[in-house]
Amino acid sequence: MMLVKLIGIALIGVVCVAVLRSARSEFAVFAVIATGVVMLVTLTSALGEVVLAFDDLVNKSGVSGEVFSAVLKIIGIGYLTEYGASVAEDAGCASIARKLQLGGKVVIFLMSMSVVAALVDIVGGLIDVV
């Protein structure tokens, strides 16, 4: 059902963008952004359920909540970076889109260091047990 909602929103957005490109092309980018925002808001309920399930898995595994938080932030950064790059590319700024993607990758790399450190600690603890 969620997919049907997203397809409907996307089709309405595509029609709006097509109309605006022929009438007032400078507003088409805003229609793209608005469509994306509506789609993201629609997805938040489904994402909330996934986050709760992920949190339950983390609690069962004994992994630190900080690792859980970092992983969610990394996933969010990836999605937001991709969305921003898509909007920039739709606006005709492919160069800015590529730079945004590079920036997102660097931020993800920097944030992943805490996850890697936690994994090393977990593996080290397992080796000490054996």
Side-chain angles (χ1 to χ4, degrees), residues 121-130:
D121 290 342
I122 291 170
V123 170
L126 291 174
I127 291 173
D128 290 339
V129 172
V130 176

Side-chain angles (χ1 to χ4, degrees), residues 10-110:
L11 290 175
I12 292 168
V14 167
V15 169
C16 290
V17 170
V19 168
L20 285 172
R21 281 200 177 133
S22 64
R24 307 259 331 233
S25 62
E26 62 272 10
F27 292 122
V29 172
F30 296 116
V32 170
I33 294 170
T35 302
V37 168
V38 171
M39 291 175 80
L40 287 174
V41 169
T42 303
L43 285 171
T44 55
S45 63
L47 289 176
E49 294 172 15
V50 170
V51 169
L52 290 175
F54 195 65
D55 187 36
D56 188 43
L57 287 173
V58 168
N59 289 335
K60 288 179 182 177
S61 71
V63 176
S64 166
E66 294 172 7
V67 174
F68 168 68
S69 175
V71 168
L72 286 180
K73 287 177 185 177
I74 288 169
I75 292 169
I77 289 168
Y79 283 135
L80 290 175
T81 300
E82 183 61 31
Y83 177 72
S86 295
V87 170
E89 199 160 326
D90 288 343
C93 301
S95 176
I96 292 174
R98 286 190 301 274
K99 288 172 181 66
L100 178 59
Q101 287 175 333
L102 175 65
K105 290 173 186 176
V106 169
V107 171
I108 287 171
F109 174 71
L110 294 173

Side-chain angles (χ1 to χ4, degrees), residues 1-11 39 42-43 46:
M1 190 63 175
M2 178 67 65
L3 183 60
V4 174
K5 287 181 187 178
L6 291 175
I7 291 171
I9 294 167
L11 290 175
M39 291 175 80
T42 303
L43 285 171

